[in-house]
Amino acid sequence: MSVKIGISPIAWQNDDLPDLTAAYTMEQALKESREIGYTGVERGQRMPHDTPGLRAYLDKYDIGLCGGWCSGNLFVNDVAQEIEAVRQQVEQFVALNSPCIVYAECSNTVQGQIGTPVNDRPKLTRDEVLDYGRKLSEVAKWMKDQGMPMAYHHHMGSFCEDEDDVNWLMEGTSDEVSLCFDTGHLLFGGGDVMRTLDRWSDRVLHVHFKDIRPEVVKDVRDNNRSFLDAVIAGAFTVPGDGCIDFQQVANKLKSMDYNGWIVVEAEQDPAKAPPYEYSKKGYQHILDVCAKAGLEIES
């Protein structure tokens, strides 16, 4: 079994806060990611949207597509409407051999609202999450039939943020709904990283290695700041630069025979955390913990 190491270009090109990364280009993100050693990149909104254009763009920088965000709207769409809304992205990701689509419900999230405290995110009951899960399972089954797995991303500011939310969603969905396990979002949301990974190891398809700075997270929570405020303040960082024990995570991935992607996703202010320097630091930390865990890295 082996893993691959990818990165989201969000450190160079932040889709939610474009002014924060205005001095950087997507071309720089791909070029520098490949120079560091990353072999895959998640799709960013400033990449070409058409499939031939995106294929040529990735080929130019000798880097693969290792997933990408998909904004779900299942609280407002029925299943048929949602399938039509995501069809083009599914077809594109199949054509480009992506390992999955990183799907998250966005119809009622506060993650992109800079004036709304992340503490005010929607919180559903267990029964409401289970009801949602039935619809999500239908969409995921359709995606799988097309040849593209769904990896659900629990995310700050959304209805699926804390450990209970993740547990309920996994309990209420079929096996076609896999998990995009994100260390940073889970800990920011108050969850236990290792307990959640242990519980749902058989559903984990995609992994985001994201670290947090706990003092910034505490300030965001205590002072009712927004998710975007948290990003600007530096709540997130690359693995090895915060408080999460990624050696434990890597050891668990080894024990569960994980053979997917480990993706660095660490959006922050590039004036404080230069993207190349920090992305290289994160990459080296992953090499170190994987080596100690006995996880082979596919180049």
Side-chain angles (χ1 to χ4, degrees), residues 198-239:
D198 286 339
R199 180 169 182 177
W200 298 111
S201 59
D202 62 329
R203 300 283 291 275
V204 172
L205 177 67
H206 201 57
V207 177
H208 282 176
F209 268 31
K210 188 171 197 164
D211 219 335
I212 68 166
R213 297 184 176 97
E215 70 281 2
V216 179
V217 168
K218 184 177 186 302
D219 176 73
V220 169
R221 291 298 202 187
D222 290 349
N223 294 288
N224 276 329
R225 305 193 197 284
S226 69
F227 173 73
L228 296 182
D229 287 333
V231 170
I232 294 168
F236 296 121
T237 186
V238 297

Side-chain angles (χ1 to χ4, degrees), residues 128-204:
E128 288 171 329
V129 175
L130 296 180
D131 285 342
Y132 174 84
R134 284 186 277 273
K135 292 177 67 178
L136 186 67
S137 296
E138 292 188 55
V139 176
K141 287 175 183 176
W142 173 82
M143 284 188 180
K144 185 175 181 180
D145 287 344
Q146 309 310 303
M148 183 48 50
M150 173 194 289
Y152 195 93
H153 192 334
H154 51 98
H155 197 285
M156 293 302 302
S158 75
F159 87 89
C160 188
E161 177 186 283
D162 64 27
E163 189 174 346
D164 282 344
D165 300 329
V166 174
N167 290 340
W168 297 341
L169 187 68
M170 291 293 98
E171 290 167 6
T173 50
S174 64
D175 288 346
E176 286 85 359
V177 178
S178 298
L179 186 63
C180 172
F181 182 76
D182 190 301
T183 55
H185 280 276
L186 188 64
L187 188 57
F188 194 157
D192 186 299
V193 171
M194 294 311 301
R195 183 171 62 212
T196 306
L197 183 56
D198 286 339
R199 180 169 182 177
W200 298 111
S201 59
D202 62 329
R203 300 283 291 275
V204 172

Side-chain angles (χ1 to χ4, degrees), residues 70 80-94 101 142-143 146:
C70 179
Q81 290 170 326
E82 187 68 359
I83 286 172
E84 288 309 309
V86 303
R87 183 182 296 276
Q88 188 274 338
Q89 186 175 353
V90 169
E91 292 174 350
Q92 179 179 86
F93 276 36
V94 169
I101 273 183
W142 173 82
M143 284 188 180
Q146 309 310 303

